[in-house]
Amino acid sequence: MGVDKEEFLKEFGHDYGYPNGPKSIDEIRATEFKRLDQSGLVYLDHAGATLYSELQLEAIFKDLNSRVYGNPHSQSEASSATLEIVREARQQVLDYCNASPKDYKCIFTSGATAALKLIGEAFPWNWGSNFMYTMENHNSVLGIREYALSQGAAAFAVDVESPVNHGGVKVSLHPVQRRNEAEFLEGEPMGNSYNLFAFPSECNFSGFRFSLELVKLIKDNSERIMEGSQFHKGRWLVLIDAAKGCATQPPDLSKYPADFVVISFYKLFGYPTGLGALLVRNDAAKILKQNYFSGGTVAASFADMDFVKRRESVEELFEDGTISFLSIASICHGFKILNSLTAPGICRHTASLTMHVEKMLLDLRHENGAKVCTIYKSRASKVLCHESGSILSFNLKRPDGSWFGYREVEKLASLTGIQLRTGCFCNPGACAKYLGLSHSDLLSNLEAGHVCWDDNDIIKGKPTGAVRVSFGYMSTYEDAKKFIDFITRSFVSTPYKSGNGNLLRPRSIPFSSEGRGKGYSSVSYLKSITIYPIKSCGGFSVESWPLTSTGLRHDREWLIKSLTGEILTQKKVPEMCFISTSIDLNRGLMFVESPRCRVKLQINLRIDSYTDTKEEIELHAKSRFEVQHCANDVNLWFSNAVGRPCTLLRYSSSKDTCKNRAMNMCRDVQSRLSFANEAQFLLISEESVSDLNNRLSLNVRKGTHETPLQVNPMRFRPNLVISGGEPYAEDGWRSLKIGSKSFTSLGGCNRCQMINIVHGSGQVQRSNEPLATLATYRRVKGKILFGILLRCENTDKPGLQTDSWLQVGQEVNPYSE
């Protein structure tokens, strides 16, 4: 045991690892999560979905293989067995939340979101109703607002503030929203309306745990809490979103009698997914209105007459159709694990890791003394919150105070085998609150093209989201240490890293002499030319090739689109690499082959050989292209080649230059491109690839990798490969000539996971290399650069003469800054 772990155990040993449990944390990992160690994964996204135990699945499969469960809407023995297992499962859920079946019912749903949707649909909203919710709420809770507003109710977010007197709290209201101006109806006093207050037991953005005392405070003291507003009138009901919090601290409903509680089982114990539950108090269930009826929810109905007799039990009334009874049969095996470890034990275990990682992150300093990490955490009073949760959200800063983008953190973490989550986590209120984003900031970001789950992590110098790590009952100290070591190694400035927090400086990227070869020629020449006619498919090499206004003639002139409108690439369909292409310019034909197709395809290059069908498509977010459709037999061939229905489209013209493409996507803002992502050409240096291979070999000798890995220049899908000169000399080129043709350098090419895909022997394999090694010495402000992008000058005329050709062997003459 290392010194670091000994220090950790001195502080947290009484909480960490289930010292009083049936198994220690090391035994749990060794017997129930072997797949993590075997794959070298560190999983830190338990707030998104926790992991199932291997023994848990074995028990489930044994159960399903040994018993017969039938549709519960019947009288057979198999159906009776199902009804019994469902009854037991309902009781287990109630027991987990310490809820008496006399007071609560458990309704199974397809997930926590479906449970929340059920509340929104069935709640008796009217013009006098109010939907109040904390700023820290998941989008699935905010969605209830649509039902409230559509029925004339008011909706508003609140910040729950520190107590202003003993045993009370104050709520600060955000602007009140109304969809339509409500017309007050005489004879309907506001006191007869029902109101709903919603809050999470644990915020999935910050880990903030709201005190469940809020249930009683809102239900019993709404008039005092919302003093000075008209919204305290009527009866207040309380909804707890326990989808995240239930995993470590289930609400005790005997003490805090919330009206509604929603649960998600895959966040409790990983499996099954697609199953949730709504716990509803009996008196609250009576006010819910169910319009739709279905199989299982009715006692009788007439097909040719407006008559239906609904079932009376709450569960049967709201569980539309046949419930997911096999999934329900599986949850008992998950509860068996949680009950053996106990919720308090899990809470203490995960909190010990959370507090340790928080302390370690806050202690990190750059060489100039600047803090590395900003953690988003509320400092509320104990009346408002319980002890630390199992979540940490944060962003990282460079020594100069600028932010590292969260996508850079996620990208590098993935290369290191660490799985975490970034963004706003579907919690826009908490995200805006903790990041300090105003409405104008959010609208400006949206207008700039930023949407959920994209790569736009920094806009106008501000983060648009955060990095989140979250711990589960099977997380270990070793997971936490690997994560801290990764952050320290990758983002903390030391005397051996550049002072601005980058590993590299743009345009002048130093390289270590370690592993560097010798005998480099000072003269560079064009070693190879490769054309990729179909986007993301295989290319072909030539000795010479003509240039056009979009680059190499026919380069990325076609693309494959699925019938759903999705542009297919190797990132989504790696097998596209096995589709090979070649072009005979003299005959005006393109030849395409695939191991999945016995016949070689011939495609005529003449424009008039295509169908008259034309359409506009959008690529790279905002660029629009006019394309031509190929014949049906061509589309059928490609559908067989990629294994899904698709069409082949040919570039006809673009509606704009690259200026309108998504932020940080296109580099060439002057030229017209076909279907290339960023620029007309990608150039790779053989010497730079050789230096990379030397570093990969060093990794093997140092024990970082078990097997040697060498990459070919074609792994990077270049158009042009040059030979000669120093490694990475191309980084400093401002422009260059190849033969008599002039090119402008647009900077380094930002590499992605696609270069980690290996195509060999008809198989597609993925690894972390060479991107992981490149990340150790080729990073510039969130980008991992290798190769340079080029624009050819003086190619503005649509049709060039045949003497405008590139030729293998031509000398390369660069001009540096």
Side-chain angles (χ1 to χ4, degrees), residues 543-559:
E543 289 296 311
S544 61
W545 201 256
L547 299 172
T548 71
S549 59
T550 58
L552 293 165
R553 180 174 290 176
H554 302 306
D555 186 53
R556 289 161 291 192
E557 195 167 306
W558 289 262
L559 59 73

Side-chain angles (χ1 to χ4, degrees), residues 132-134 156-173 197 199 211-233 236-238 383-384:
M132 180 172 71
Y133 49 91
T134 57
F156 48 92
V158 296
D159 289 306
V160 182
E161 300 176 350
S162 298
V164 292
N165 49 48
H166 181 69
V169 296
K170 180 182 177 181
V171 297
S172 176
L173 275 64
F197 171 60
F199 71 97
S211 170
L212 299 185
E213 292 288 347
L214 283 172
V215 175
K216 294 179 180 178
L217 292 171
I218 295 296
K219 289 170 71 72
D220 300 336
N221 299 293
S222 60
E223 185 170 356
R224 179 157 55 89
I225 291 172
M226 290 179 282
E227 186 177 3
S229 77
Q230 76 274 28
F231 301 112
H232 66 271
K233 297 182 179 180
W236 277 94
L237 283 74
V238 178
V383 175
L384 302 183

Side-chain angles (χ1 to χ4, degrees), residues 740-766:
S740 61
K741 312 304 178 297
S742 296
F743 297 83
T744 297
S745 171
L746 304 174
C749 180
N750 185 23
R751 311 313 311 206
C752 66
Q753 294 276 5
M754 191 167 165
I755 65 173
N756 288 341
I757 300 175
V758 183
H759 323 122
S761 304
Q763 300 292 322
V764 175
Q765 296 179 330
R766 297 177 184 269

Side-chain angles (χ1 to χ4, degrees), residues 605-623:
L605 299 180
R606 296 196 313 272
I607 296 294
D608 57 10
S609 67
Y610 289 76
T611 68
D612 294 331
T613 304
K614 291 186 177 182
E615 69 168 306
E616 282 191 5
I617 65 169
E618 189 174 273
L619 194 63
H620 312 303
K622 287 189 176 181
S623 283

Side-chain angles (χ1 to χ4, degrees), residues 84-95:
E84 179 59 21
I85 201 70
V86 169
R87 184 198 63 77
E88 292 176 2
R90 292 192 206 278
Q91 188 60 52
Q92 283 185 307
V93 177
L94 293 174
D95 290 343

Side-chain angles (χ1 to χ4, degrees), residues 500-750:
N500 64 358
N502 298 325
L503 294 178
L504 318 174
R505 293 193 303 274
R507 295 289 190 185
S508 180
I509 301 180
F511 56 92
S512 167
S513 60
E514 183 182 28
R516 175 181 167 188
K518 297 181 179 180
Y520 294 113
S521 169
S522 60
V523 178
S524 299
Y525 67 94
L526 185 59
K527 180 72 174 292
S528 69
I529 303 169
T530 306
I531 296 91
Y532 305 90
I534 304 172
K535 184 178 179 67
S536 259
C537 293
F540 64 98
S541 297
V542 295
E543 289 296 311
S544 61
W545 201 256
L547 299 172
T548 71
S549 59
T550 58
L552 293 165
R553 180 174 290 176
H554 302 306
D555 186 53
R556 289 161 291 192
E557 195 167 306
W558 289 262
L559 59 73
I560 302 172
K561 186 179 79 168
S562 73
L563 298 189
T564 61
E566 179 184 26
I567 305 302
L568 302 184
T569 68
Q570 278 193 41
K571 291 181 183 179
K572 302 167 186 174
V573 188
E575 292 76 14
M576 289 176 67
C577 66
F578 298 124
I579 299 176
S580 61
T581 57
S582 62
I583 287 178
D584 187 327
L585 289 176
N586 294 326
R587 296 168 61 188
L589 295 174
M590 177 168 66
F591 301 95
V592 192
E593 294 183 85
S594 166
R596 293 182 174 178
C597 302
R598 290 192 292 178
V599 177
K600 178 190 290 189
L601 182 66
Q602 287 188 187
I603 298 177
N604 201 312
L605 299 180
R606 296 196 313 272
I607 296 294
D608 57 10
S609 67
Y610 289 76
T611 68
D612 294 331
T613 304
K614 291 186 177 182
E615 69 168 306
E616 282 191 5
I617 65 169
E618 189 174 273
L619 194 63
H620 312 303
K622 287 189 176 181
S623 283
R624 298 197 65 81
F625 295 83
E626 186 177 87
V627 296
Q628 290 181 295
H629 280 254
C630 295
N632 288 335
D633 59 334
V634 173
N635 294 330
L636 179 61
W637 190 95
F638 277 95
S639 297
N640 291 329
V642 300
R644 66 184 72 184
C646 62
T647 58
L648 183 69
L649 303 178
R650 185 179 187 178
Y651 170 88
S652 177
S653 64
S654 59
K655 296 297 182 181
D656 48 38
T657 63
C658 194
K659 292 178 182 178
N660 291 328
R661 292 192 180 178
M663 293 180 301
N664 303 322
M665 168 57 79
C666 185
R667 208 74 62 82
D668 191 346
V669 296
Q670 296 184 16
S671 306
R672 290 188 179 273
L673 306 181
S674 50
F675 296 131
N677 283 351
E678 297 189 85
Q680 293 177 337
F681 305 88
L682 169 61
L683 180 146
I684 293 291
S685 158
E686 269 195 337
E687 278 63 38
S688 299
V689 174
S690 177
D691 180 76
L692 169 61
N693 281 326
N694 288 335
R695 294 171 187 271
L696 292 169
S697 297
L698 280 173
N699 289 339
V700 176
R701 294 199 292 273
K702 292 176 180 179
T704 308
H705 296 84
E706 294 181 0
T707 56
L709 170 69
Q710 297 289 280
V711 297
N712 184 282
M714 303 316 295
R715 174 79 74 91
F716 302 95
R717 292 179 64 84
N719 296 112
L720 310 174
V721 176
I722 61 170
S723 182
E726 294 282 347
Y728 313 112
E730 65 273 15
D731 295 323
W733 295 351
R734 177 171 52 85
S735 61
L736 64 149
K737 275 193 171 185
I738 302 178
S740 61
K741 312 304 178 297
S742 296
F743 297 83
T744 297
S745 171
L746 304 174
C749 180
N750 185 23

Side-chain angles (χ1 to χ4, degrees), residues 172-379:
S172 176
L173 275 64
H174 288 255
V176 177
Q177 310 152 55
R178 280 196 186 272
R179 183 69 41 88
N180 301 304
E181 287 298 327
E183 297 182 3
F184 292 90
L185 304 178
E186 294 184 8
E188 285 195 34
M190 292 181 66
N192 291 341
S193 299
Y194 290 96
N195 309 304
L196 182 64
F197 171 60
F199 71 97
S201 58
E202 182 177 347
C203 173
N204 75 318
F205 185 95
S206 65
F208 180 85
R209 280 180 170 165
F210 285 86
S211 170
L212 299 185
E213 292 288 347
L214 283 172
V215 175
K216 294 179 180 178
L217 292 171
I218 295 296
K219 289 170 71 72
D220 300 336
N221 299 293
S222 60
E223 185 170 356
R224 179 157 55 89
I225 291 172
M226 290 179 282
E227 186 177 3
S229 77
Q230 76 274 28
F231 301 112
H232 66 271
K233 297 182 179 180
R235 178 185 170 190
W236 277 94
L237 283 74
V238 178
L239 158 65
I240 299 176
D241 175 11
K244 170 59 190 81
C246 229
T248 54
Q249 195 172 66
D252 185 343
L253 296 182
S254 68
K255 293 182 180 179
Y256 311 106
D259 299 283
F260 309 102
V261 177
V262 297
I263 294 174
S264 177
F265 292 107
Y266 74 89
K267 294 192 178 183
L268 288 177
F269 32 70
Y271 182 89
T273 59
L275 183 67
L278 169 63
L279 274 61
V280 55
R281 278 184 64 86
N282 293 337
D283 56 349
K286 293 175 183 177
I287 71 168
L288 299 181
K289 300 175 182 178
Q290 175 75 307
N291 292 322
Y292 178 74
F293 70 86
S294 64
T297 66
V298 296
S301 64
F302 294 172
D304 56 353
M305 183 178 174
D306 183 11
F307 175 84
V308 59
K309 172 65 175 175
R310 299 177 186 271
R311 293 186 179 272
E312 295 183 359
S313 75
V314 173
E315 301 95 335
E316 291 177 319
L317 182 60
F318 288 101
E319 289 175 346
D320 293 327
T322 302
I323 55 178
S324 183
F325 55 89
L326 293 182
S327 293
I328 293 171
S330 301
I331 67 175
C332 66
H333 303 286
F335 276 121
K336 183 177 181 181
I337 293 173
L338 299 190
N339 292 335
S340 68
L341 299 175
T342 74
I346 294 171
C347 183
R348 291 192 298 270
H349 172 75
T350 55
S352 69
L353 292 170
T354 306
M355 289 188 285
H356 171 68
V357 170
E358 178 181 5
K359 179 179 181 298
M360 298 298 291
L361 288 175
L362 291 176
D363 286 345
L364 293 177
R365 294 290 188 276
H366 291 295
E367 60 174 331
N368 65 356
K371 287 186 176 182
V372 175
C373 186
T374 296
I375 293 178
Y376 303 113
K377 184 175 181 180
S378 176
R379 305 295 177 183

